[in-house]
Amino acid sequence: MRRNLTDIDSLKALAHPLRQQMFTHLNRFGPATSADLAASFEADRGATSYHLRQLERFGFIEEDTDRSAGRRRYWKAIPLDLRLPYGAEDPEIAAAADAIGRGWMEQAQRDLHTYLADREAFGAFGEAAMHSFSTTTLTADELSRFAEEYVAFISRWHRYPEEASDGARPITVLFNAFPTPS
């Protein structure tokens, strides 16, 4: 589901580093409790509970009611096509969007470097992985359509971790389409 992040409150909610880590974890590995996330990130359980409620408040995650029981609440990511408002006129919105975008790219770079440092350890997944670099020449309208087609394509392949086939693992997919600097 496409979501344009245009309001400062949602952007600030997602810009917090621990919230980004927890949101990424829920997307990659599926539902978890605040205790699970606190252990994963060596964070205070109360803090993770607070941050989870903030992510829920702004519509990034929801309670997994099928797994939750009593006081043990499981949280899951809502599959979203999040769009940042690059070029926003409001400097606060632009700064928050930049912070989130930088966080996403830094995480992607860490993941890529970790993978490349020991590709063989990933077995068949390492062999199936692909890295491609290409350029094309497009108008701004064509670039916009190209990006929308890409998002539609990747959305068809989205699976919740708990619904994936046996032997599946989280896969990072990077997509950058931007004007080539002169």
Side-chain angles (χ1 to χ4, degrees):
M1 173 172 65
R2 179 177 177 164
R3 178 161 173 207
N4 295 318
L5 296 175
T6 57
D7 67 286
I8 191 62
D9 293 331
S10 291
L11 287 163
K12 283 182 177 179
L14 193 58
H16 189 281
L18 181 56
R19 290 181 198 152
Q20 280 196 31
Q21 289 177 317
M22 293 189 319
F23 182 61
T24 298
H25 188 278
L26 293 173
N27 272 290
R28 290 181 176 180
F29 304 110
T33 65
S34 62
D36 297 333
L37 294 168
S40 292
F41 298 111
E42 298 178 355
D44 177 75
R45 188 171 169 188
T48 58
S49 291
Y50 169 78
H51 290 305
L52 286 166
R53 287 191 306 276
Q54 292 302 305
L55 289 169
E56 177 191 36
R57 177 179 170 205
F58 291 99
F60 298 109
I61 67 170
E62 63 188 2
E63 183 178 355
D64 184 344
T65 55
D66 292 339
R67 290 179 186 247
S68 296
R71 293 176 48 101
R72 188 167 175 84
R73 295 177 73 185
Y74 278 84
W75 299 94
K76 66 180 179 180
I78 297 171
L80 297 168
D81 166 19
L82 297 176
R83 307 282 178 105
L84 297 174
Y86 290 120
E89 291 183 21
D90 181 319
E92 190 176 21
I93 289 175
D98 287 346
I100 293 168
R102 274 194 306 279
W104 290 348
M105 289 309 301
E106 289 165 4
Q107 180 64 54
Q109 287 176 343
R110 284 191 301 272
D111 292 346
L112 180 59
H113 287 285
T114 299
Y115 159 72
L116 290 174
D118 195 12
R119 222 178 324 205
E120 293 77 28
F122 292 89
F125 285 95
E127 293 172 23
M130 182 186 66
H131 304 279
S132 173
F133 176 83
S134 59
T135 59
T136 188
T137 305
L138 303 172
T139 65
D141 182 58
E142 290 170 331
L143 174 57
S144 180
R145 290 192 339 249
F146 174 83
E148 292 302 326
E149 287 179 27
Y150 174 83
V151 169
F153 173 77
I154 198 72
S155 294
R156 288 196 307 267
W157 285 90
H158 179 270
R159 292 181 183 90
Y160 284 111
E162 64 272 18
E163 297 170 349
S165 303
D166 289 340
R169 64 173 295 147
I171 302 296
T172 298
V173 180
L174 304 177
F175 172 72
N176 297 294
F178 54 90
T180 305
S182 299

